[in-house]
Amino acid sequence: MAQMVISASPALTLFNSLKNVIGERGKCGIGGVKQPGMLFPGSSRKHAISMSILMNFRSKGFSFVALGTTQWNGGVAELAESETTSRSYTWPDKKKPRVCILGGGFGGLYTALRLESLVWPEDKKPQNKSESIQIPYKPHIGRTELVVLVDQSERFVFKPMLYELLTGEVDIWEIAPRFSDLLANTGVKFFQDRVKQLHPSDHLGVNGPTISSRGGTVHLESGLVIEYDWLVLALGAEAKLDVVPGAAEFALPFSTLEDACRVDNRLRILERKRFGRDFPIRVAVVGCGYSGVELAATVSERLQDKGIVQAINVETTICPTAPPGNREAALKVLSSRNVELLLGYFVRRIRKSGVSEVSEKQTESGAVLDAAGEHEPEKLILELQPAEKGLQSQTLEVDLILWTVGSKPQLPELGPREWPRELPLNARGQAETDETLRVKGHQRIFAVGDSSSLRDSKGKLLPSTAQVAFQQADFAGWNLWAAINDRPLLPFRFQNLGEMMTLGRNDAAISPSFIEGLTLEGPIGHTARKLAYLIRLPTDEHRLKVGISWLTKSAIDSVAAVQSSVIKVLSMLPQLPIHPFIAILLNVSQLKSKEEILMKIWAGL
C-alpha cells in the first residue's frame, strides 16, 4: 500500500495541476461545464458583439477561428444566426495541397491526426499559413498546420462512453475534450462552424483525358468559403426522429453530448420531483440494439427501485447482431434490474397524456403543478402496434422517452442546383465509395464513418460504429498522403476486433473476436472495456490526463469499499480498539478532494 501511494504521489501533483488547467470536473448541468451556454443556450450571460468576418485566436500553435457576427458566451465565441457576408479563406501557398476535413468525430479527427503524423516531402506538405516554426523532433511538420478541420461543436465526443455520464463514472472533459486542447500542439487548424453547401469540381475531368487539379469549395453557414484540393467527408449522423408522429416533439435522442446532458438533467428533475413519493419514475427506451440496451441498463441501475424501465424493440430479441455472449450477459443484467422487455412491437404514435396523478392539481390556465407549486413534467403516451402475430396493441404511460432507433447522415447540400453531377448516395443517404474510401466519380473526395457506404468482402454493408470509423480514418489519412504523393492507394479491409457494451457502473460485456466463444462480464469486462477505450483516446497527452484521473477515482472507490467493510465489522465488535489507520478510513468522508484523501492515508501509514 505504501509503495502504491509513493508512486502515485507525483501523479497526484500533475493531476492537481491539470485540474486547474482543464477546470471541468463535474457532470452535466450546473458546474459541469465552464461554458454551459454552449450546451444550453440562454443559461449564461451573453453579450452580442459585432466582429469582423475573421478573427484568429492562437494558443500553442493551434488556431481557433470564429466567423461573422458573434456572441460571447462564457468566453467562447458563438456564431450568430443572422445572415453573413461571404468571404473566401485565403491559403498562403496555393502551390501546396489544401486539405479540408468536414466533421470532427472519430473519422474526421483521427484522419487529421493521421495526416499530421506522416512524413511529407517539402513540396507536397499540406499547409494553410505562411509562417513555419520548425520542431527539432518533427522537422517535416513544424508548426505549419497540415489540414483545416471543420465541426459544429467545440468538443470531440467519445460517444461510446456517453452512458458513463449518467452514472457519474466520467467527467465531461475526459470523454468530450475541446478541440483546442487536443490540437494545441498539432498541425491542424480548427473552425467551429456548420457546413452549408459543397461545390465539388473534381468530377469535371473524370471522363476526359485528365483529372481536374481543383477539388472544389466548401461554403460554411458563417459565410466563409474554403477552397480545397482534397476533401474528407466525416460529418457523422444525427438521430432520425421523423419516422413516428410525436417522436421529434416528445422523445429524447441519445447520440451527442448535448443529448446526454439533456437526459441527465431530465432524470435529475424527475428524481427531485418524485423524492419521497410513492410514484415510480417510468422511462421507455425505444430500440434494443446496442445503444438501447446500454441505455436501459444504465438508467435502470441509476433509478433502482425508484423507477421502472421498459425497453421496446420491433425484433423478437435484443441486440440481434451481437455475439451470443454479449446478448446473454445483457439479458441477465436487464432481468436482474427488472427491465420490462416489450419485444415484437413498434411505436405507432407518441402524444401527451391527459391524465394527471392524484397529488397533482391544475391551475386555472391548465398548467400542471405539484404540491410545491412547481411545474410537473407532463406524462407521455406511447401507442404500440404489434409486429408479430399473437400480440395485442398496448398503450404505455411514461415520464421520459429515450429514442435510439434510426439515424441519418449529415451530408451537406450540393450546389449550384444545375450542377451536372452529384455525389452518389445509397438509400440511407451515405456517399458510395470505392475500396480506397474515395467517393465514386470524385477523385479528390474521401468519405469515412457514417458519411461512407462501403461493403465488406461478403457484400455486407459495414456498420456505422466507432470501430469502423476509427479504422477507416487510418486508411483515409494514408490514402490521402498516397494520392498527393502519386503513390498507390491501399484498399480498406475492416478487421472486427470484437464488440463491447456497458451494462452499468461496474458491469460490461466484451466478446473479443480473436478468442472464439470468450465473453468477459461484470467488473472484469468493465475494466477491460475502459482500458480499451483509454488506448483509443485521440492524443498521448489526453490519454495521460484521463489515465491519471481514472486511476485516482479507482483508488478512492477502493478506499470507500474498505471503509464500508471496516464500519460493518466494527459495528459488530464495538469493544475492540481502533487502529489509527482505521480511524483515518472512518473519517475519510469528511475530506473534500481526492488528493486530500490519498495524502491523509499516506500520512497514517
Side-chain angles (χ1 to χ4, degrees):
M1 180 67 179
Q3 184 178 0
M4 181 202 73
V5 177
I6 290 174
S7 61
S9 296
L12 289 175
T13 303
L14 176 59
F15 181 83
N16 192 40
S17 62
L18 295 176
K19 175 182 64 177
N20 295 331
V21 174
I22 298 170
E24 297 167 6
R25 299 280 300 279
K27 304 174 184 177
C28 298
I30 299 176
V33 187
K34 274 194 170 181
Q35 290 81 14
M38 292 299 295
L39 299 181
F40 309 103
S43 61
S44 64
R45 187 178 179 183
K46 297 184 179 181
H47 302 277
I49 302 176
S50 178
M51 302 179 65
S52 61
I53 292 297
L54 184 61
M55 292 191 65
N56 202 350
F57 302 89
R58 302 184 184 275
S59 174
K60 300 181 181 179
F62 164 80
S63 298
F64 174 85
V65 178
L67 300 150
T69 303
T70 69
Q71 290 179 329
W72 285 103
N73 186 0
V76 177
E78 291 184 323
L79 299 175
E81 296 181 358
S82 58
E83 185 177 355
T84 56
T85 305
S86 297
R87 176 175 175 175
S88 297
Y89 174 70
T90 303
W91 297 82
D93 190 347
K94 295 184 178 181
K95 295 182 179 180
K96 291 186 177 182
R98 300 168 294 181
V99 179
C100 181
I101 298 178
L102 304 181
F106 282 100
L109 176 64
Y110 285 68
T111 297
L113 295 177
R114 175 62 167 155
L115 284 171
E116 197 263 349
S117 69
L118 296 172
V119 178
W120 293 85
E122 186 60 32
D123 60 333
K124 296 291 182 69
K125 178 174 60 178
Q127 45 73 50
N128 62 26
K129 70 178 184 181
S130 56
E131 72 270 21
S132 178
I133 304 174
Q134 297 296 328
I135 299 177
Y137 61 91
K138 271 191 178 179
H140 61 281
I141 293 178
R143 288 290 180 87
T144 299
E145 282 89 351
L146 293 174
V147 299
V148 166
L149 177 66
V150 180
D151 194 88
Q152 63 184 5
S153 173
E154 66 167 345
R155 295 172 181 271
F156 163 76
V157 181
F158 202 94
K159 291 187 177 181
M161 298 197 74
L162 281 176
Y163 310 95
E164 277 81 344
L165 283 179
L166 300 182
T167 61
E169 283 186 83
V170 299
D171 296 328
I172 287 180
W173 70 267
E174 295 171 345
I175 65 166
R178 288 187 174 89
F179 286 108
S180 58
D181 295 327
L182 293 176
L183 304 176
N185 296 311
T186 65
V188 180
K189 190 181 187 72
F190 173 64
F191 289 85
Q192 185 182 347
D193 206 339
R194 291 177 180 267
V195 180
K196 182 179 180 180
Q197 252 185 4
L198 175 62
H199 294 189
S201 59
D202 58 339
H203 63 273
L204 297 179
V206 172
N207 297 324
T210 60
I211 298 176
S212 172
S213 60
R214 178 176 176 270
T217 56
V218 175
H219 294 247
L220 305 181
E221 286 190 356
S222 64
L224 184 69
V225 178
I226 301 176
E227 186 175 359
Y228 65 86
D229 296 315
W230 303 89
L231 181 72
V232 178
L233 297 175
L235 290 166
E238 61 182 358
K240 192 174 183 180
L241 297 171
D242 55 358
V243 293
V244 174
E249 184 179 359
F250 302 115
L252 296 182
F254 196 85
S255 61
T256 67
L257 176 63
E258 291 81 1
D259 293 338
C261 290
R262 195 175 295 113
V263 171
D264 180 67
N265 288 336
R266 185 70 63 86
L267 286 173
R268 288 175 183 272
I269 292 173
L270 290 170
E271 288 168 335
R272 185 173 65 251
K273 296 290 185 182
R274 302 298 172 86
F275 181 76
R277 299 169 67 179
D278 295 332
F279 301 104
I281 300 171
R282 293 184 174 272
V283 179
V285 179
V286 181
C288 287
Y290 266 113
S291 180
V293 170
E294 290 177 299
L295 195 53
T298 301
V299 173
S300 62
E301 182 189 47
R302 171 170 172 167
L303 297 179
Q304 297 182 2
D305 58 351
K306 297 179 297 183
I308 297 175
V309 177
Q310 296 170 299
I312 307 161
N313 198 35
V314 68
E315 302 281 348
T316 56
T317 182
I318 67 170
C319 300
T321 62
N326 280 12
R327 190 183 307 114
E328 293 171 4
L331 283 171
K332 182 170 60 177
V333 169
L334 295 179
S335 176
S336 66
R337 296 175 188 166
N338 298 320
V339 175
E340 182 181 354
L341 296 177
L342 299 172
L343 305 178
Y345 287 94
F346 64 88
V347 180
R348 188 173 68 88
R349 180 189 175 196
I350 300 175
R351 58 182 174 84
K352 289 183 181 180
S353 171
V355 180
S356 59
E357 296 177 354
V358 177
S359 62
E360 294 171 344
K361 58 182 179 179
Q362 286 191 329
T363 62
E364 294 180 358
S365 62
V368 179
L369 302 179
D370 61 10
E374 298 179 348
H375 286 279
E376 179 80 10
E378 294 184 87
K379 286 190 172 295
L380 304 172
I381 297 294
L382 291 94
E383 298 179 6
L384 304 185
Q385 193 74 17
E388 299 288 334
K389 293 183 178 180
L391 298 177
Q392 300 295 325
S393 299
Q394 292 195 41
T395 300
L396 305 181
E397 186 179 58
V398 298
D399 300 294
L400 178 62
I401 301 175
L402 304 179
W403 194 270
T404 67
V405 178
S407 63
K408 52 184 177 181
Q410 294 179 298
L411 289 179
E413 176 187 348
L414 293 181
R417 295 186 180 275
E418 63 271 12
W419 211 262
R421 189 164 180 168
E422 296 183 350
L423 295 179
L425 305 179
N426 65 1
R428 299 173 58 184
Q430 298 169 306
E432 294 184 355
T433 63
D434 60 23
E435 61 180 3
T436 65
L437 301 178
R438 272 177 167 170
V439 176
K440 294 180 180 179
H442 295 267
Q443 297 296 307
R444 292 177 174 269
I445 302 179
F446 291 79
V448 295
D450 293 314
S451 299
S452 170
S453 171
L454 186 64
R455 299 184 181 274
D456 58 18
S457 57
K458 299 180 180 179
K460 185 178 179 181
L461 193 67
L462 292 177
S464 300
T465 63
Q467 184 179 181
V468 172
F470 184 88
Q471 294 185 27
Q472 285 182 336
D474 190 50
F475 275 79
W478 174 265
N479 284 342
L480 265 171
W481 179 92
I484 292 173
N485 290 283
D486 300 321
R487 303 288 183 88
L489 276 63
L490 298 177
F492 174 72
R493 295 291 183 265
F494 173 62
Q495 296 181 348
N496 188 359
L497 303 178
E499 299 185 18
M500 303 185 291
M501 61 190 307
T502 181
L503 297 172
R505 186 172 179 83
N506 288 302
D507 204 345
I510 299 180
S511 294
S513 60
F514 48 86
I515 304 179
E516 187 176 358
L518 175 65
T519 300
L520 303 177
E521 304 178 36
I524 296 178
H526 177 265
T527 301
R529 177 178 175 272
K530 290 193 73 172
L531 288 176
Y533 284 153
L534 179 64
I535 296 173
R536 293 293 192 184
L537 291 177
T539 65
D540 292 337
E541 182 180 0
H542 189 63
R543 279 191 289 270
L544 176 61
K545 294 176 182 178
V546 174
I548 294 172
S549 176
W550 288 356
L551 182 62
T552 305
K553 292 176 183 177
S554 178
I556 292 175
D557 290 341
S558 299
V559 170
V562 172
Q563 178 190 12
S564 178
S565 300
V566 169
I567 291 175
K568 290 180 180 179
V569 172
L570 293 180
S571 64
M572 294 184 294
L573 301 172
Q575 71 278 11
L576 293 180
I578 300 179
H579 190 275
F581 179 68
I582 302 300
I584 293 173
L585 289 178
L586 294 177
N587 294 326
V588 76
S589 61
Q590 300 176 2
L591 302 178
K592 297 181 179 180
S593 69
K594 303 172 184 178
E595 293 79 5
E596 288 177 337
I597 293 174
L598 292 182
M599 295 307 296
K600 188 73 173 179
I601 294 174
W602 170 242
L605 295 175

